[in-house]
Structures are given as structure tokens and as C-alpha cells.
Amino acid sequence: MELEELKEFIYLIEDVPTLDKMPRKTLKDKGIAGPTSAHFIEETHTPLNFKCLTFTTGTSSFQNIVGILEEEIIEKKKATLKIFDILDIKSNDKVLITYPPLTNVFSKEALEEREVVWSFLEKSSRDALIYEICKNKPEVVVGESSFLRVALEDAKKTGLIKIFPEKLKFITAGTSLDLEFLEVCKNYKGFEVHDLYGAQEFGWICLDGVPLRGDIELIKNDKNDFCDLILGGVSTGDRFLINQEGHVCNKNGKIITYSKERVELEYETIILESPVKNI
């Protein structure tokens, strides 16, 4: 075989791609094409069995990479659609997401199925948030509660709060609920605050202290009135106060998600059933 014949043979095999033929997934493909002040954008080789890659927020440790499988999107989508039903978020409602990676927790697929119009800030700043709320009048704003609180306080000082929509749903996520944000919102009759707890690894888990999924277990530990939260037999690494008097945003929610403590848990997990067959 001549060398040129070998080269010709190499390029005949189409299931082994060259670099320019490899599939690529952009921020836009993932539905998270918005700026943040905490990231840079980097191309990476991602295993084909992953739907996408994302990262934990790093609020309690270093950011960890998370590979999301296609099968996981199904449960993420179910939980998100349940949130939308509970909060009466409808088709064509405008949802402003202040931290683009949160879209991975919702999953782009759920946002598309409900046909909401989601968008991001032009810049990752409080001024940009105030501007977007005043200009585009979203029905829903999703973000970290302390960031939202300070933005509302700034809007009041500048007088721009008068241009805000009369009705606005704030969904706080990413960090524990800032209770002072609730007090700020009480001054505005049409403002609602909801506390969303979840993780990049699992998707959304609780809304206002109420579980969004049926595979959640709360396991008592040696700390009074606190329980470890287990999801699908896997520890989330989070521990919460369980209070029968209810969550501050919903008296029916018994999981006090703003009391979160990070713990290292080593529960033994026994798999009782699996779709995998022994061939």
C-alpha cells in the first residue's frame, strides 16, 4: 500500500471525525448564553454519553464539574414544570434569570416545553438588573436573594422602583434565602418571593420547603430536629431543620431550606431494582 493510498483510506472512515467535524455545543445550545462575573468560557472534550457539562456553584467548597446524562433531563424537566404549575407561570411569560448557569438546573427542555421567554442580564450587575426589570417588565425574576435584595434597595433609593411592574414573582436560588429580602418585598403589594432549593447534580428538589420529587427521603441524625436529605438513594450532602410550623414562604413546607448545613455523609445504598439486565 502506498502512503497516499493510506491517507485516502483514513478519510474514507467517516465515523472517526477530524476536529472540524466534531459535534460542538455552545452556551446558546444549552440555553445559558448570558454573562457572569464568576466564569470564563472554555472549550472542552466532553464524553458522548453526557448531555452537557455544568458546575456546582461553589458556595460551600470548590466548584465541581457535573456531567448530565440525557436520562437525568427527564426528572429535571418534571420538577421544573411542577414549579411552573404551582406558581402559575404560563406560556409567553418573561423569565429573567440573573445567573445563567441556573438554566442548567431548570433544563432548557422544560423552559421550551412551557414556552416561557427566558433571558439574561446584559451585564452581571445590580444596575443591569434594575434596567432590565424596568425596560422589559418580566413576570418572573430568578436569582440569588441577597443580590435581589440589594438591587431592590438601590431601585428604591434611585426612585426607579416606581417603574417596576406592579406584579413580580421572585424565585430565589443558588444560595440560602436571605430573610431580609422578604422584609423588603413586603413593602410592595404585588411582589411574591419563593425559595427554590436544588443542585446542578440533581435539579430542583424543594419549593418553599415542599418536595418537588417523590424520591426524597429525610433521615434523622444526631442533631435535634435536623434531617439529612437523600435523593434517589444518594446523599445531597445537605442537612435541614424540619419544622412543623412551616417554611417562611409556605406554612405547608416543613423543610426549612434556609437552615442548610453541609455535611459529609456515607450512607450505605442498596440497589433493589435496575433497568440493566444481566446478559
Side-chain angles (χ1 to χ4, degrees):
M1 176 181 284
E2 297 290 336
L3 190 58
E4 286 304 311
E5 288 179 308
L6 177 58
K7 180 179 178 181
E8 194 173 313
F9 179 71
I10 289 169
Y11 284 92
L12 282 174
I13 305 173
E14 293 187 357
D15 59 345
V16 180
T18 57
L19 179 63
D20 63 320
K21 297 291 185 182
M22 286 181 68
R24 293 171 184 263
K25 184 164 286 187
T26 66
L27 293 179
K28 188 174 181 181
D29 293 327
K30 295 163 69 173
I32 62 172
T36 89
S37 56
H39 300 83
F40 60 88
I41 300 169
E42 179 176 354
E43 290 185 279
T44 181
H45 290 86
T46 303
L48 286 172
N49 60 318
F50 285 158
K51 173 75 173 178
C52 65
L53 290 181
T54 185
F55 286 82
T56 59
T57 57
T59 51
S60 56
S61 63
F62 289 111
Q63 292 92 337
N64 294 311
I65 196 165
V66 180
I68 305 297
L69 300 176
E70 184 74 50
E71 292 82 358
E72 295 178 80
I73 297 293
I74 298 169
E75 293 303 321
K76 289 189 173 207
K77 187 166 77 169
K78 284 180 183 176
T80 298
L81 293 175
K82 189 172 183 179
I83 293 165
F84 289 167
D85 288 339
I86 293 169
L87 301 185
D88 193 28
I89 297 173
K90 303 178 290 297
S91 172
N92 293 318
D93 277 357
K94 289 180 282 189
V95 179
L96 176 61
I97 300 175
T98 65
Y99 181 66
L102 284 173
T103 309
N104 284 331
V105 195
F106 284 101
S107 86
K108 176 188 174 187
E109 289 77 3
L111 298 170
E112 288 178 332
E113 183 165 319
R114 183 51 56 99
E115 297 180 329
V116 299
V117 180
W118 77 98
S119 63
F120 307 107
L121 303 176
E122 185 69 27
K123 287 190 174 183
S124 182
S125 70
R126 298 195 305 270
D127 288 343
L129 172 59
I130 295 168
Y131 177 79
E132 288 296 328
I133 292 175
C134 291
K135 181 184 177 185
N136 294 318
K137 303 289 194 292
E139 281 78 22
V140 182
V141 176
V142 183
E144 190 269 330
S145 55
S146 293
F147 177 72
L148 298 176
R149 172 180 59 80
V150 179
L152 253 65
E153 291 171 343
D154 288 350
K156 181 180 178 182
K157 290 174 186 174
T158 58
L160 291 172
I161 195 77
K162 297 174 184 177
I163 314 176
F164 273 39
E166 291 184 6
K167 293 185 178 180
L168 194 53
K169 295 183 176 80
F170 290 102
I171 300 178
T172 67
T175 57
S176 295
L177 175 63
D178 179 348
L179 296 178
E180 290 183 28
F181 180 52
L182 286 170
E183 296 304 312
V184 172
C185 287
K186 283 179 181 177
N187 296 316
Y188 307 97
K189 188 176 179 181
F191 289 4
E192 296 178 24
V193 178
H194 297 280
D195 180 27
L196 192 53
Y197 160 71
Q200 294 283 3
E201 305 96 313
F202 302 108
W204 298 120
I205 299 172
C206 295
L207 176 67
D208 298 339
V210 178
L212 294 166
R213 299 173 51 151
D215 55 354
I216 292 174
E217 291 182 75
L218 297 168
I219 298 180
K220 277 276 191 181
N221 55 72
D222 55 1
K223 188 169 182 179
N224 290 339
D225 299 323
F226 274 73
C227 286
D228 302 330
L229 197 149
I230 311 299
L231 187 66
V234 178
S235 169
T236 61
D238 289 333
R239 175 177 291 172
F240 297 104
L241 175 67
I242 306 302
N243 190 339
Q244 298 306 315
E245 293 183 6
H247 188 285
V248 68
C249 295
N250 183 354
K251 294 304 178 185
N252 294 318
K254 308 306 179 187
I255 304 172
I256 311 305
T257 43
Y258 44 92
S259 68
K260 183 174 77 172
E261 295 181 355
R262 290 294 292 170
V263 290
E264 290 187 15
L265 303 173
E266 295 185 4
Y267 286 111
E268 182 178 342
T269 301
I270 300 172
I271 299 173
L272 300 177
E273 187 176 349
S274 171
V276 178
K277 296 180 181 179
N278 185 11
I279 300 174

